Amino acid sequence: MKTLHKFYCTLIALLLAVSSCHKLDIKPVNVLNDDQIFGSEAGINTYLAQVYRKLPIEDFSYRPAGRDGWGFNLHHEWEHFWHLGAGCGEMVGPWGGLDFAGGFGYWPYADIRAVNYFIETLPRYSDKYVGNKVNELLGEAYFLRAYYYFALVKRYGGIPYITVVQNFPQQTVEELQVPRNKEEECWNFIAEDLDKAWSMMPETSVSGRANKYAAAALKSRAMLYAGSIAKYGSLNFVEGDARAQGFVGIPADKAEDFFNRSWEAAKLLEAKYSLYQKEGDKELNYVMTFLDNNSPENILVRDYSVPGNNAHSWDATFSPRFMTADGLSRAYPTLELVERWGVLNVINPDGTPKRYDDVVTLTQGLEPRLLATVYFPGTTLRGLKFDVRRGIYPSFSGTAAAEVAKPDNQRNMFTASGQDAKYNDEMQIIGMTGISTSTDQWTRTGFYVRKYIDFRRPQSEVGLFTSTTHWIEFRYAEVLLNRAEAAVETGKTEDAMNCINLLRTRGGGATLSQGEVTVESVRNERCKELAFENHYWWDIRRWRTADVILNNQRFKGLLPYYVYDEKKFIMLREQETFGRNYNFEKRAYYEPIPGGELAKNPNLYPNNPNY
Amino acid sequence: MKQLITMAGLLMVLGFTSCLKKDNLDGPNASLEGNFFVAGTKNNFQTATGSIQVKLEQLSWSETPAPQEIPSKIDGTYKNSKLFGGHYRVTPYGGAFWPVLPIEIDISGGTKQDFELTPYTEINNFTVQLDTTTLKLRFDISAPVEAGMPTITEIQPYLNTTSMVGPGASIYEFSDMKKITVNKEWADMTPADKSPEITIEGLLPGRIFYVRVGVRYNDSYKSSNLSNIIQIKVDQK
């Protein structure tokens, strides 16, 4: 026993002695170090994949405040009806007001630091790469940095524009508390970064990564924002210290210069990209514009995959449950959006509603682009018909206007909150896909979203987290619209007309004459072409029209009714059935600097006006 | 042995509690209240709930304090009785009145502070005429100070079933849908613009309504000057 004891003691002592020779200072094996990342292209791709994943692209799963505080679309979100368009009248949905205007504290300086670190570190490894590779990658980093700052500046105005890697505790707290730059400076910095990106990046890139044309497209977008903020923000503004000191707002005389830079950047893409024209049928062509992976229109896309665990649910959450395997819908295009194409002719000259044998007759003669953007009552998806009805009139006489003006309880009609209720025990009062009076899951306006819906997928496969349609962040159509708007703001109406007419011809609509090209008509074209692509909210903000458009506003739908004794349908333009109010406070043109950041850095004061 | 354990236990409890710091700061036992008066009168400024905010910045706490606000009540007063005592900068803002300079005061228990505000416009001679279920509203608008007034965007009635009536507390069909869009400078307004008449039809019989009118401006807050509130009783048919 004693010998055994001694043996163990010796053994332990020996082990200790041997292990003492080991150096403790070894590199951790579970963390990638600079050599591994920057030493090879594979390492760099891994590093950049993370940067791209966090890039503030407002895609399918973007929800401004995020879910449970997760922030930008990193949370496997499926509730796509919390869509920017549903908060501001492009659609109506559960958002009764602008819940996203109060700011959700987006402050991605950690992500910007990752890009700055890349820019500082990569040149040290330049001997590992041949040719122009290092330069190209640096250009891409400048594009990414500009993109992050674009998302910040469009929310807050002037912010600290940090282009170096900050270190703590090597730097003092005072050094790290960088003051805000003026808003105008910030837009100029973004332009500088993008100019560098343009001169350094290659012409082509793999799917999901940017090339030099993505940089030009972002520049045309950013400069357009700056131009309209300068022009319209000088007329309609909120007074406060931050404005007086230039942290928000741009002097009006800078507008022209910004518009010109937007126009020039957009021009760089000419003949390099083109509108999608592969299908002969105009309606199908516009639908496929958003579904075809090999579209000559796509400049930068974000890809999704089921194994990658980031598939989205757009198909399942913008169609009624009737047409999907799972999920439910909640946001619906407004009549205001639909009538951007022109007022729908549902009323006879004498004021009585037109009678229809089938509601789908209404779609005859409408622009194919509109039909490819919005599902009308009576159209079909996955073999099923959008069977949309608000209710039944036993009989109907009189004018549409007089009927709509009556309170609901004085109207001689039957409505129901569910699909089971029947009239005379034979006919469903509302159709299979609405219009509902109680729940949000059937249309409230008569319409459903069609853009980005993949009609080719069978119903049984359309469930949550199964959609892998790519999100097109930059497409050539937007560049043309940026160019047209910049052109019309600087008096180049002919150029604006040519751009607009390219879009109108592709969409199957009538062309504009030069006399019809105004700031208003160009804006309207933008709202039509970019519907549901998360542009509208930012556009009405930078045009400074949000407080006029959303002035205690309620939006309308086109509600079909069945007239029982005539066996015909009529359609009335009335308030959407939930009657939600939409409001915009003027201070929301800028979001408040997040309180936590103000506490850390007093140099961020003054906060934006009225916060 | 048992005693020893008890002793040790007691000592441990004492030892731990000795680490606790006593919070000797005062609780929120200070208060601030007051009236908004129309300048030069002792009439309360017509407000709606929250239409004017009193901004408080506690300078004795920080040079850059996070502001807190006391919203106005419907009767043109304000009050918050759960404030921390200290030195504050106080600014009323948000309503339709000419900007006032901030004041600095020490707030403790029962502090009172009134503000004299000059409205952009005054709504005078507000009368209502009820004809079975149709309501006609008449009033005159005048401006105490004309130069530099913000653009007038709209004139609108507010009708509600409670005395809490004003922007944000009204029946949409009888209020927002009856608004008159103006979008004019004061100097460009005609005498007819300044003495409008608004008709509201289809009030429900047998109900009591409260009604007032407002003039709204395109200032930083899109705020409104409001009339006094009148009660309406619609007779049963």
Side-chain angles (χ1 to χ4, degrees):
Chain A
M1 190 65 196
K2 269 232 169 106
T3 16
L4 207 67
H5 219 102
K6 262 185 196 158
F7 172 73
Y8 276 123
C9 275
T10 324
L11 193 73
I12 290 170
L14 217 79
L15 277 173
L16 277 171
V18 173
S19 60
S20 69
C21 298
H22 277 281
K23 263 195 196 162
L24 282 175
D25 186 15
I26 53 167
K27 289 186 172 169
V29 290
N30 59 341
V31 178
L32 288 176
N33 58 39
D34 280 359
D35 292 344
Q36 288 161 319
I37 292 168
F38 295 100
S40 73
E41 225 180 307
I44 282 184
N45 287 345
T46 312
Y47 190 91
L48 286 183
Q50 185 68 356
V51 176
Y52 272 98
R53 188 175 79 95
K54 292 189 171 179
L55 202 62
I57 289 177
E58 293 170 14
D59 61 2
F60 296 113
S61 45
Y62 168 58
R63 176 165 159 187
R67 194 184 202 202
D68 308 328
W70 275 78
F72 261 99
N73 44 39
L74 298 176
H75 41 2
H76 210 51
E77 192 61 85
W78 63 272
E79 295 148 316
H80 303 316
F81 34 75
W82 301 102
H83 184 284
L84 275 184
C88 54
E90 199 174 45
M91 294 187 262
V92 284
W95 253 327
L98 292 159
D99 305 18
F100 43 78
F104 61 102
Y106 184 60
W107 205 249
Y109 279 93
D111 303 326
I112 291 169
R113 186 179 195 277
V115 179
N116 284 334
Y117 190 80
F118 185 90
I119 293 173
E120 282 187 13
T121 315
L122 182 65
R124 282 196 251 128
Y125 292 84
S126 52
D127 56 327
K128 308 261 188 200
Y129 299 93
V130 290
N132 203 24
K133 192 72 200 168
V134 170
N135 227 8
E136 290 176 359
L137 286 167
L138 286 177
E140 194 170 352
Y142 286 122
F143 164 78
L144 293 166
R145 186 165 76 189
Y147 198 102
Y148 279 113
Y149 276 116
F150 172 67
L152 272 171
V153 178
K154 73 177 180 179
R155 289 184 167 78
Y156 303 112
I159 35 86
Y161 205 92
I162 297 169
T163 54
V164 292
V165 178
Q166 293 180 318
N167 287 304
F168 184 78
Q170 291 89 327
Q171 285 175 281
T172 62
V173 171
E174 285 70 31
E175 281 178 286
L176 298 175
Q177 290 174 334
V178 183
R180 293 175 80 173
N181 287 96
K182 293 185 173 178
E183 175 162 8
E184 186 190 343
E185 288 171 348
C186 288
W187 290 111
N188 283 328
F189 287 141
I190 289 173
E192 277 171 34
D193 271 350
L194 290 170
D195 287 343
K196 277 188 227 162
W198 165 262
S199 63
M200 294 160 86
M201 286 167 88
E203 296 239 339
T204 54
S205 56
V206 295
S207 178
R209 293 268 293 266
N211 58 32
K212 71 193 307 172
Y213 296 108
L218 176 56
K219 191 179 173 193
S220 79
R221 188 193 283 180
M223 294 299 99
L224 188 66
Y225 273 53
S228 33
I229 289 167
K231 185 166 180 185
Y232 300 101
S234 301
L235 303 172
N236 192 8
F237 53 83
V238 177
E239 223 133 16
D241 290 345
R243 181 170 187 275
Q245 295 170 35
F247 295 123
V248 297
I250 304 172
D253 57 4
K254 302 290 167 60
E256 176 127 0
D257 179 43
F258 279 118
F259 283 131
N260 283 331
R261 283 149 81 187
S262 170
W263 188 82
E264 282 157 17
K267 196 111 164 82
L268 294 174
L269 284 91
E270 202 170 46
K272 301 290 178 185
Y273 288 83
S274 63
L275 294 178
Y276 188 84
Q277 307 267 23
K278 287 189 194 175
E279 303 287 339
D281 177 69
K282 297 264 185 198
E283 188 179 324
L284 179 66
N285 184 65
Y286 196 77
V287 167
M288 292 308 294
T289 302
F290 297 90
L291 303 180
D292 190 339
N293 286 326
N294 299 311
S295 159
E297 190 170 334
N298 296 354
I299 302 162
L300 177 66
V301 300
R302 176 176 269 178
D303 291 311
Y304 304 85
S305 75
V306 175
N309 205 27
N310 64 349
H312 58 88
S313 317
W314 186 269
D315 292 304
T317 53
F318 273 107
S319 309
R321 174 68 189 79
F322 179 57
M323 293 171 175
T324 63
D326 195 358
L328 45 88
S329 61
R330 273 193 178 173
Y332 309 100
T334 55
L335 183 62
E336 279 80 359
L337 171 76
V338 170
E339 294 200 332
R340 285 187 176 278
W341 274 265
V343 175
L344 292 173
N345 189 11
V346 293
I347 302 194
N348 291 318
D350 63 356
T352 56
K354 281 193 177 171
R355 266 54 172 183
Y356 296 90
D357 289 323
D358 186 348
V359 281
V360 79
T361 318
L362 177 71
T363 60
Q364 282 171 6
L366 294 183
E367 186 181 308
R369 178 170 51 160
L370 169 60
L371 297 173
T373 304
V374 167
Y375 273 117
F376 274 70
T379 53
T380 50
L381 168 65
R382 297 172 196 130
L384 296 164
K385 197 170 167 178
F386 282 93
D387 180 20
V388 177
R389 200 155 56 238
R390 170 77 174 94
I392 293 181
Y393 278 98
S395 67
F396 189 94
S397 59
T399 64
E403 186 66 19
V404 170
K406 287 184 199 162
D408 268 8
N409 57 2
Q410 290 174 31
R411 288 166 66 170
N412 174 31
M413 64 173 181
F414 291 87
T415 59
S417 57
Q419 291 150 332
D420 298 336
K422 290 198 166 142
Y423 177 72
N424 272 359
D425 282 340
E426 52 175 308
M427 186 171 185
Q428 256 178 286
I429 294 176
I430 68 166
M432 291 306 291
T433 65
I435 295 166
S436 129
T437 50
S438 64
T439 63
D440 265 328
Q441 53 183 314
W442 300 301
T443 179
R444 295 148 44 174
T445 62
F447 305 109
Y448 283 91
V449 169
R450 181 165 189 190
K451 189 175 275 185
Y452 275 120
I453 298 277
D454 191 346
F455 65 96
R456 300 165 299 186
R457 301 176 64 206
Q459 184 183 358
S460 58
E461 287 173 20
V462 178
L464 298 179
F465 305 115
T466 59
S467 296
T468 53
T469 311
H470 58 277
W471 174 264
I472 311 170
E473 175 55 19
F474 291 108
R475 62 186 182 100
Y476 190 53
E478 186 212 330
V479 174
L480 284 175
L481 286 161
N482 295 346
R483 180 173 153 186
E485 193 179 327
V488 76
E489 292 281 9
T490 50
K492 298 188 267 284
T493 45
E494 192 180 348
D495 189 62
M497 177 189 73
N498 293 337
C499 295
I500 295 293
N501 283 343
L502 280 177
L503 293 167
R504 288 198 161 209
T505 314
R506 190 269 293 265
T511 53
L512 275 186
S513 68
Q514 200 169 334
E516 292 170 300
V517 176
T518 59
V519 172
E520 261 328 295
S521 65
V522 171
R523 285 181 182 182
N524 193 44
E525 201 64 30
R526 186 177 175 91
C527 297
K528 284 152 66 175
E529 177 67 33
L530 301 179
F532 318 135
E533 293 179 53
N534 281 333
H535 283 282
Y536 182 66
W537 157 245
W538 295 108
D539 287 338
I540 59 175
R541 264 173 59 132
R542 68 183 170 87
W543 294 329
R544 298 295 193 254
T545 55
D547 67 302
V548 180
I549 293 171
L550 304 172
N551 178 12
N552 217 9
Q553 185 62 262
R554 292 185 185 186
F555 293 98
K556 289 196 174 70
L558 184 71
L559 312 189
Y561 293 85
Y562 188 69
V563 183
Y564 193 80
D565 62 350
E566 297 178 42
K567 303 216 174 330
K568 304 263 185 197
F569 288 94
I570 56 168
M571 303 201 206
L572 301 178
R573 307 162 79 249
E574 13 181 352
Q575 252 176 42
E576 52 99 5
T577 53
F578 275 44
R580 286 198 169 115
N581 264 38
Y582 289 79
N583 243 316
F584 185 92
E585 273 185 71
K586 265 171 80 171
R587 68 175 186 176
Y589 284 124
Y590 291 100
E591 292 178 14
I593 302 274
E597 304 304 329
L598 287 168
K600 277 185 263 178
N601 179 5
N603 288 329
L604 295 175
Y605 278 97
N607 202 348
N608 286 341
N610 248 339
Y611 289 108
Chain B
M1 188 66 188
K2 212 173 177 185
Q3 250 180 355
L4 214 71
I5 293 174
T6 324
M7 283 289 281
L10 268 172
L11 274 171
M12 262 163 79
V13 169
L14 276 172
F16 284 129
T17 51
S18 68
C19 301
L20 293 179
K21 257 195 201 165
K22 190 171 181 288
D23 180 1
N24 56 359
L25 292 171
D26 288 331
N29 53 7
S31 75
L32 177 68
E33 61 187 296
N35 297 295
F36 306 110
F37 289 128
V38 177
T41 71
K42 282 290 169 201
N43 298 331
N44 272 13
F45 195 93
Q46 290 291 331
T47 61
T49 307
S51 75
I52 298 179
Q53 305 282 347
V54 179
K55 181 160 80 177
L56 302 179
E57 293 163 288
Q58 193 178 356
L59 300 175
S60 52
W61 176 256
S62 154
E63 274 178 55
T64 52
Q68 54 179 324
E69 275 130 19
I70 310 178
S72 60
K73 296 189 202 177
I74 194 109
D75 59 355
T77 65
Y78 71 97
K79 179 175 182 171
N80 184 337
S81 60
K82 288 282 178 285
L83 293 169
F84 289 99
H87 187 66
Y88 283 82
R89 179 164 53 213
V90 183
T91 331
Y93 79 100
F97 52 84
W98 290 92
V100 288
L101 290 173
I103 53 164
E104 290 191 16
I105 52 170
D106 290 313
I107 296 178
S108 54
T111 306
K112 286 198 165 53
Q113 179 65 48
D114 295 335
F115 291 99
E116 287 216 338
L117 308 172
T118 309
Y120 290 133
T121 60
E122 288 170 351
I123 298 172
N124 305 315
N125 310 324
F126 176 42
T127 58
V128 298
Q129 179 196 331
L130 181 68
D131 183 9
T132 60
T133 61
T134 301
L135 194 61
K136 274 196 168 38
L137 312 175
R138 291 189 192 88
F139 49 97
D140 304 319
I141 306 167
S142 63
V145 184
E146 297 189 3
M149 247 175 71
T151 313
I152 293 170
T153 56
E154 61 212 23
I155 296 172
Q156 167 177 346
Y158 297 96
L159 189 117
N160 206 354
T161 49
T162 79
S163 61
M164 300 298 214
V165 56
S170 60
I171 300 168
Y172 187 84
E173 283 70 16
F174 296 136
S175 308
D176 289 273
M177 286 177 75
K178 298 290 174 191
K179 78 178 154 209
I180 304 169
T181 306
V182 181
N183 285 330
K184 281 184 191 169
E185 304 296 331
W186 177 256
D188 299 333
M189 284 178 74
T190 61
D193 287 337
K194 293 175 187 173
S195 301
E197 184 184 298
I198 297 172
T199 308
I200 302 175
E201 290 162 329
L203 296 182
L204 292 179
R207 295 280 187 94
I208 291 174
F209 293 98
Y210 296 83
V211 64
R212 76 198 304 194
V213 290
V215 180
R216 199 163 182 220
Y217 310 90
N218 190 25
D219 64 348
S220 294
Y221 319 100
K222 296 204 97 173
S223 53
S224 302
N225 279 126
L226 297 163
S227 72
N228 52 331
I229 299 167
I230 293 179
Q231 194 198 61
I232 307 290
K233 192 169 182 335
V234 185
D235 288 329
Q236 200 78 45
K237 260 183 201 163

